[in-house]
Amino acid sequence: MKLLVLFLLLAAGRAQAARPNVIVILADDLGYSDIGPYGGEIATPNLDRLAKNGLRFTQFYNTARCCPTRASLLTGVYSHQAGIGHMTADTGHPSYRGFLNDRVVTIAEALKPAGYFTAIAGKWHVGTAPSQLPRKRGFDRYYGLTTGAAYYKPNFEKRTETRLVIDDQIIEPKDVPDDWYFTDAVTDNALRFIDEAHTKKAPFFLYMAHVAPHFPLQAKKADIDKYRGRYDGGWDKARDARYKRLLDLGIIDKGWALSPRDGNSKPWADEPPPVRAETSLRMSVYAALVDSVDQSVGRLVAKLESTGQLDNTLIFFLSDNGANGEGGPHGPPNNGPVPVDQPGSYLTYPSSWANVSNVPFRLFKHYVHEGGISTPLIAHWPARIRTGGQLRSQVGHVIDLLPTALDAAGVKRASTFAGKKLVPLEGKSLLPAFANKPIARDALYWEHEGNRAVRVGQWKLVARHEQPWELYDMRTDRTELHDLAAQQPARVKELTAKWDAWAKKVGVQPWVPPVKADTPRKP
């Protein structure tokens, strides 16, 4: 009997040791084709390496906006079910409380009972009250911003709506070091958390939620200098080049035509020289922000290698929504004294360049057409992904990350937590796709600010707020250029009924735009 007990204890110890670390790296406002593995010209050698030795998902989706994506990513259910149907404002409706409710668990809460050390470095943005912050949702350690975006100390001092928090302590702006740069600080603390887990000899879950490349456009001079003049050829040339690279990489089908230039943008040749110079520079700063995220990935991988943990660490890299078109075709004018390539600037990304970031798709963040919800997803796990560099066309969604993390760790999500019955999981584990097996699911759904969509197999029904439904065949027309709604009314009716039933189930409410609504986009 003693020998049997000893054997079982040893076996349990081996199982514990075999549990992988899980890292989710989330970029903010990054477009589908911004990084090298997805056709971008921005230098991303570290992401290139992960893609070369891992997998790239070509049909992976977010929710079109920051807060809802974070809610779904962390909980494995649709954001409305988690209490964040929109952003962090609390309307009093259960689906729109603006913070994670008690009917869901985070990846951290699910993995902690299995002995995982859990940490977040970066932006939280799923609840701002002290009772809603990461340490109350299963995370052992936290370094980051509660909401918003800031890079340099002067910028942070002006952003009174956001707070820097270390564990449970709010850090006053005056106490932030003068040389503080948030992307580097996120990375520094993520590496520190990895060291803590390694010291504890515990598997870890690390959530790195960068604010880059979200506006304001603030990057380091050395990084900006790498891209000065790179975009003087303009957005039309850049869109064509990315489209060709995507085709060459096999990420998109040659039957999918490149979507037209966004209706609010002019041909580059028609822009006056001062506008060309200013918008080219803004794109250079944006590229530098993407570059900084890649540098962070490089430091992370180096830490895992130096501690002997890279092989058994599952790393995901993705974006919270499509590129941001809120700034208008040129971005707002610089009415202040600080140029865009200086630390004190507070300028945004022009939609004409965001249209490049989302190649080959149309529309942007906020919208649930493909440009708003399509994200790169790189999965890297040498212990399980032994044939790297391959593509996966299985359709996935951020609701799948929690089930995948738990599946990889051999952990089951309970039906109750802290005495509360949990919302059933909506996501599916992606591990079968690692072996190139199908992922069985009925449908995927979206709703944000009245923009709505449902995808069933190859068919996607989608509409903008208060606009009629459009129907697209994702197999032959993923760039959504040939609306088939008039030709297939029965399919439209069927998919509409599915979306209506889902919307009722998760508590979607009618969207009432604020007074200063987003500028209507031309077709």
Side-chain angles (χ1 to χ4, degrees), residues 177-205:
D178 290 338
D179 62 350
W180 184 78
Y181 187 72
F182 188 64
T183 303
D184 290 344
V186 165
T187 310
D188 293 342
N189 284 276
L191 302 187
R192 180 166 60 88
F193 296 152
I194 290 175
D195 282 337
E196 289 185 29
H198 193 55
T199 299
K200 295 176 183 291
K201 298 182 179 179
F204 65 82
F205 167 60

Side-chain angles (χ1 to χ4, degrees), residues 102-105 109 414-422:
D102 59 5
R103 302 295 177 171
V104 297
V105 291
E109 288 171 317
S415 60
T416 61
F417 185 79
K420 301 283 188 178
K421 185 177 180 180
L422 299 178

Side-chain angles (χ1 to χ4, degrees), residues 29-40 56-62 242 246 249-253 256 286 317 319 321-324 349 354-363 370-377 391-393 478-479:
D29 285 8
L30 180 83
Y32 185 76
S33 64
D34 274 329
I35 60 176
Y38 284 77
R56 283 167 292 166
F57 284 73
T58 62
Q59 297 191 81
F60 202 78
Y61 291 114
N62 49 47
R242 286 196 183 188
L246 283 165
L249 290 168
I251 291 174
I252 62 173
D253 190 280
W256 306 342
Y286 177 86
F317 177 88
S319 178
N321 44 248
N324 187 357
Y349 188 43
N355 195 202
V356 176
S357 292
N358 291 334
V359 164
F361 308 122
R362 63 188 180 96
L363 291 176
E370 294 292 284
I373 59 176
S374 297
T375 173
L377 178 73
L391 304 177
R392 291 292 182 266
S393 61
R478 196 174 162 209
T479 46

Side-chain angles (χ1 to χ4, degrees), residues 208-347:
M208 289 184 72
H210 287 287
V211 299
H214 192 291
F215 75 87
L217 295 176
Q218 295 181 346
K220 297 178 182 178
K221 181 179 184 302
D223 294 336
I224 297 172
D225 287 346
K226 292 167 62 174
Y227 298 96
R228 288 184 190 273
R230 180 80 63 88
Y231 296 99
D232 289 352
W235 42 71
D236 294 319
K237 182 179 178 180
R239 292 185 79 239
D240 290 342
R242 286 196 183 188
Y243 178 68
K244 182 179 185 302
R245 282 193 295 270
L246 283 165
L247 289 173
D248 293 342
L249 290 168
I251 291 174
I252 62 173
D253 190 280
K254 63 181 180 180
W256 306 342
L258 174 62
S259 61
R261 182 193 316 105
D262 181 63
N264 286 350
S265 299
K266 295 180 180 179
W268 180 257
D270 292 349
E271 296 286 8
V275 170
R276 294 190 206 176
E278 167 71 11
T279 55
S280 173
L281 180 56
R282 291 197 194 198
M283 182 59 191
S284 298
V285 180
Y286 177 86
L289 286 167
V290 176
D291 192 304
S292 73
V293 172
D294 185 77
Q295 294 173 43
S296 170
V297 172
R299 293 179 60 197
L300 178 77
V301 170
K303 170 62 73 174
L304 295 172
E305 286 181 311
S306 69
T307 54
Q309 299 181 87
L310 182 62
D311 282 356
N312 200 30
T313 299
L314 170 57
I315 302 174
F316 285 115
F317 177 88
L318 70 160
S319 178
D320 64 345
N321 44 248
N324 187 357
E326 296 168 354
H330 305 138
N334 185 4
N335 295 321
V338 183
V340 69
D341 58 348
Q342 300 299 314
S345 70
Y346 196 80
L347 296 174

Side-chain angles (χ1 to χ4, degrees), residues 39-63:
E41 71 292 325
I42 301 171
T44 55
N46 298 295
L47 289 170
D48 293 348
R49 176 186 173 188
L50 293 186
K52 181 179 179 181
N53 297 306
L55 301 172
R56 283 167 292 166
F57 284 73
T58 62
Q59 297 191 81
F60 202 78
Y61 291 114
N62 49 47
T63 73

Side-chain angles (χ1 to χ4, degrees), residues 78-116:
Y78 288 106
S79 62
H80 304 77
Q81 295 170 303
I84 305 183
H86 186 238
M87 298 290 279
T88 53
D90 186 351
T91 70
H93 188 280
S95 299
Y96 297 83
R97 296 303 307 276
F99 58 89
L100 298 178
N101 61 34
D102 59 5
R103 302 295 177 171
V104 297
V105 291
T106 67
I107 300 174
E109 288 171 317
L111 289 179
K112 270 185 72 69
Y116 273 76

